[in-house]
Amino acid sequence: MLWYVLIVFFAGFFAGKFIRTQWIGKYKVVLLFTIFLLFTLGLEIGANDELFKRIDEILLYGLLIALFGSLGSFLLGYLFERFNRRSDFKMCVKGIPIRVFKSDRGDER
Amino acid sequence: MMSAVILLSSVVIGLVVGRITKFELPDNVVALILYILVLLVGLDLSKEKIEKRLFKDVSLVILSTVGGTFLFTFLLSFFLPLRKLEVLAAASGFGWYSLSSVIISTSYSAYLGSISFFANVLRELCAIVVAPFGLKKSKYGTISVAGATSMDTLLGLIATYSNRETALLSFGHGFVVSMLVPIFVNLFLRLMKSF
């Protein structure tokens, strides 16, 4: 599964060097397929009886693990990003940055 | 914001429809949609140049995903009626519910497998909800929350709400974290057998 995902991604990545890809951003095709994927995800869980039997405790423990895992990840990521950005700003000559920090350019779309 | 509502409701609608109709999709339909999505994102990212900077960013985000998840779920494990290693094993899917839950169900217990399934499904949901706001606050943090799904399901969403560079970072991170999932799950299961 993981390998197929990789192969498909790199196939697209290299094919895109030779063909036009502007339509993907223009018509929000990625968003459309994401919606479709999430729908099938819900459909799969909903149709599975096994998962709905011991739902209460499983859901509670699952929720807590998910929340704590997410919170820890976000906090650490936030700290690392700030730390990383500060080290970027050190590359200044008399207060003028010699390299523009890329994510400060703003979004491309 | 509007997109987050649409995305979340598409999960809920799917859930309700699945519950009522008991309609089961053929196994490879979800995978096929996933491949199309990943192909599209690959095409879209192809115009981006890969810079050396990216490797440093990817390593930092991976570190925050793994470190943050284990640190906080370990703290949580003191308050749950589960073994500490069980909690860590359930959390080490990093959002990849199909893999972690299957490994745990088959080689440890179906109960913990189901907990792992929901922990990771809900983590993915968490990431879907967080992404539109989170990316404005911290790109690293949001990608970390997405965990292994930052290379597939969440990749489309992250690409929509940020720039191409962040999408590339997201993919690189998801790729490495996905490979870490079976390693960590097996590690914790093995530790449980020996203690």
Side-chain angles (χ1 to χ4, degrees):
Chain A
M1 176 83 180
L2 176 64
W3 295 111
Y4 288 135
V5 169
L6 280 174
I7 291 165
V8 170
F9 176 81
F10 283 107
F13 196 77
F14 288 113
K17 304 264 185 211
F18 308 105
I19 56 174
R20 293 162 60 108
T21 55
Q22 289 93 329
W23 53 276
I24 296 171
K26 200 175 167 190
Y27 299 107
K28 297 196 188 298
V29 194
V30 171
L31 187 67
L32 202 73
F33 271 93
T34 308
I35 290 171
F36 203 36
L37 184 73
L38 291 173
F39 174 74
T40 55
L41 210 81
L43 202 64
E44 272 207 331
I45 304 165
N48 193 335
D49 281 331
E50 279 298 303
L51 295 166
F52 275 80
K53 273 184 189 165
R54 298 171 77 181
I55 196 84
D56 42 1
E57 54 184 303
I58 288 173
L59 211 57
L60 177 67
Y61 299 158
L63 179 70
L64 286 172
I65 293 171
L67 284 180
F68 273 72
S70 301
L71 191 69
S73 299
F74 193 87
L75 283 177
L76 221 59
Y78 179 75
L79 289 176
F80 280 148
E81 189 168 351
R82 289 198 64 169
F83 167 76
N84 197 19
R85 196 169 292 187
R86 199 179 304 156
S87 71
D88 267 328
F89 279 126
K90 274 180 191 161
M91 299 184 72
C92 298
V93 179
K94 291 178 183 171
I96 303 155
I98 54 172
R99 186 174 62 160
V100 179
F101 188 61
K102 254 204 143 180
S103 55
D104 286 343
R105 283 187 320 195
D107 291 350
E108 286 172 24
R109 292 178 211 164
Chain B
M1 178 61 209
M2 202 51 218
S3 303
V5 175
I6 294 169
L7 290 162
L8 203 62
S9 49
S10 62
V11 182
V12 177
I13 291 167
L15 222 111
V16 174
V17 172
R19 202 72 203 125
I20 296 166
T21 61
K22 299 279 161 152
F23 177 72
E24 280 189 47
L25 288 162
D27 278 348
N28 32 28
V29 170
V30 183
L32 191 72
I33 299 169
L34 184 67
Y35 294 149
I36 295 171
L37 184 64
V38 171
L39 181 74
L40 285 169
V41 175
L43 280 171
D44 202 23
L45 290 180
S46 62
K47 301 288 188 273
E48 185 76 16
K49 286 197 190 102
I50 298 173
E51 292 176 35
K52 260 190 183 165
R53 240 184 72 92
L54 192 70
F55 292 102
K56 186 190 168 197
D57 288 345
V58 168
S59 326
L60 278 175
V61 188
I62 292 164
L63 203 65
S64 64
T65 306
V66 176
T69 303
F70 288 148
L71 191 72
F72 272 61
T73 48
F74 182 71
L75 290 175
L76 173 73
S77 68
F78 287 95
F79 307 100
L80 288 184
L82 296 166
R83 294 174 64 185
K84 286 179 183 58
L85 286 169
E86 281 183 333
V87 176
L88 291 178
S92 50
F94 301 116
W96 192 359
Y97 52 88
S98 50
L99 187 74
S100 61
S101 59
V102 169
I103 297 176
I104 295 173
S105 296
T106 49
S107 60
Y108 187 70
S109 83
Y111 176 63
L112 190 68
S114 317
I115 291 177
S116 171
F117 178 84
F118 275 108
N120 291 298
V121 167
L122 291 170
R123 180 169 183 154
E124 192 174 331
L125 270 177
C126 225
I128 292 168
V129 176
V130 164
F133 323 93
L135 282 167
K136 288 193 190 103
K137 196 87 192 143
S138 165
K139 293 186 173 72
Y140 286 15
T142 310
I143 295 170
S144 277
V145 173
T149 66
S150 72
M151 82 182 280
D152 39 55
T153 346
L154 258 290
L155 185 56
L157 199 57
I158 288 170
T160 309
Y161 283 99
S162 63
N163 48 32
R164 285 196 178 82
E165 198 194 69
T166 311
L168 216 52
L169 172 64
S170 175
F171 185 86
H173 163 265
F175 170 53
V176 180
V177 170
S178 296
M179 295 206 290
L180 293 176
V181 173
I183 296 171
F184 276 119
V185 174
N186 280 320
L187 174 76
F188 290 125
L189 291 182
R190 195 163 290 184
L191 280 174
M192 261 190 284
K193 278 169 189 160
S194 52
F195 282 112

